[in-house]
Amino acid sequence: MKWTSKFLIFSLILGFTGAVWAQSVTVPTVSFGLKNTSNPKEIVSAIQIILLLTVLTLAPAILILMTSFTRLIVVFSFLRQALGTQQMPPNQLLVGMSLFLTFFIMQPVFTQVNSEALQPYMANQMSQEVALDKALAPMRKFMFSQTRDADLEMFLKLGKVKNPKTRADVPTMVLIPSFVISELKTAFQIGFIIYLPFLVIDIIVASVLMALGMMMLPPVIISLPFKIMVFVLVDGWTLIVGSMVKSFG
């Protein structure tokens, strides 16, 4: 009886799938090919598609290196290490929070890029080169506002670029690494400030344990609950996230 019931169920499944596949289903397909052409428009279109695919592959690097993401993720990593909670919050949560905070901070810039570059380009109101320049303008303005002059001068010297008269004369390939270095410096400074109160708690706990003669008891076991309690009592997440968002103002 068991084998009979299994055979009937298997037959029903085969009959159902056969009925589904017997019907015509519309599915999207994409095909690529090579052909000879002498039409300049087709050549330009093919080059634009290649450039678009290249930009899409570089989109994660652009998001990380040209926005506020770098500072946010580094500071959150410092915070987790200062608390000593190992993998809490997990990496996925820190990356996701940093990503959405990046969209929140960069919203005015992205809105300007969309209204001044993307939408006119999609409406065929400007060429690709003009749209790229229009899109880079607000991004460069944001990066200049967060870049230190010393870092910018260093990369200008490394790139053997003549002293630019205005910010518009600074190449983007020089501005991006200068911005990243400045963001890392700022993130490490904020991380140092975050570390200090938790370091004081660790020192106090370690001193008390040594005074009590508890040499074999790791201080981290005692200090961790106190650090979490202090962080919660002062509403640490609100303070840190609020300060981080205001630091880009």
Side-chain angles (χ1 to χ4, degrees):
M1 293 296 294
K2 293 182 179 179
W3 285 104
T4 303
S5 59
K6 291 181 180 180
F7 177 76
L8 291 175
I9 294 173
F10 184 70
S11 300
L12 290 174
I13 293 174
L14 287 180
F16 178 75
T17 54
V20 171
W21 286 108
Q23 300 177 359
S24 60
V25 181
T26 303
V27 294
T29 59
V30 178
S31 61
F32 293 93
L34 300 175
K35 68 175 184 178
N36 296 325
T37 181
S38 58
N39 188 356
K41 293 184 178 180
E42 293 184 358
I43 298 175
V44 172
S45 299
I47 294 175
Q48 289 178 348
I49 292 174
I50 294 174
L51 292 176
L52 178 61
L53 293 176
T54 304
V55 171
L56 290 177
T57 56
L58 296 177
I62 294 174
L63 178 63
I64 293 173
L65 299 180
M66 297 177 63
T67 63
S68 59
F69 183 86
T70 300
R71 185 187 304 184
L72 293 171
I73 191 62
V74 172
V75 170
F76 288 148
S77 299
F78 271 119
L79 174 62
R80 185 174 63 182
Q81 293 180 6
L83 284 171
T85 54
Q86 302 299 326
Q87 295 298 323
M88 287 296 156
N91 291 328
Q92 293 85 350
L93 179 58
L94 293 182
V95 172
M97 185 165 56
S98 301
L99 184 62
F100 279 97
L101 284 175
T102 299
F103 289 140
F104 179 79
I105 295 170
M106 301 294 296
Q107 182 181 1
V109 179
F110 292 158
T111 301
Q112 187 177 356
V113 171
N114 180 62
S115 60
E116 296 182 1
L118 182 59
Q119 294 300 327
Y121 175 71
M122 295 179 64
N124 294 325
Q125 296 178 357
M126 63 176 59
S127 63
Q128 185 177 3
E129 293 78 10
V130 176
L132 182 60
D133 293 337
K134 291 284 187 179
L136 280 176
M139 296 295 296
R140 285 170 57 90
K141 182 179 179 181
F142 171 79
M143 289 189 289
F144 271 121
S145 64
Q146 305 298 326
T147 303
R148 292 179 173 86
D149 294 336
D151 298 328
L152 190 60
E153 291 177 1
M154 180 186 70
F155 280 97
L156 287 172
K157 292 179 180 179
L158 293 176
K160 297 180 180 179
V161 179
K162 296 181 179 179
N163 293 330
K165 297 180 180 179
T166 61
R167 289 185 171 183
D169 299 330
V170 177
T172 305
M173 291 298 101
V174 173
L175 176 59
I176 293 175
S178 305
F179 169 74
V180 175
I181 295 299
S182 297
E183 286 294 282
L184 289 175
K185 287 182 178 179
T186 305
F188 273 69
Q189 291 174 354
I190 297 174
F192 173 75
I193 297 174
I194 291 174
Y195 248 103
L196 287 180
F198 299 113
L199 180 61
V200 171
I201 295 176
D202 288 332
I203 293 174
I204 293 175
V205 171
S207 301
V208 172
L209 291 178
M210 289 187 65
L212 295 176
M214 299 180 180
M215 304 293 295
M216 303 301 294
L217 182 63
V220 178
I221 298 178
I222 306 300
S223 64
L224 179 58
F226 285 100
K227 289 191 289 187
I228 294 176
M229 180 184 66
V230 171
F231 187 73
V232 172
L233 289 177
V234 300
D235 201 4
W237 286 112
T238 301
L239 290 175
I240 290 178
V241 172
S243 300
M244 292 291 295
V245 173
K246 292 178 182 178
S247 66
F248 290 96

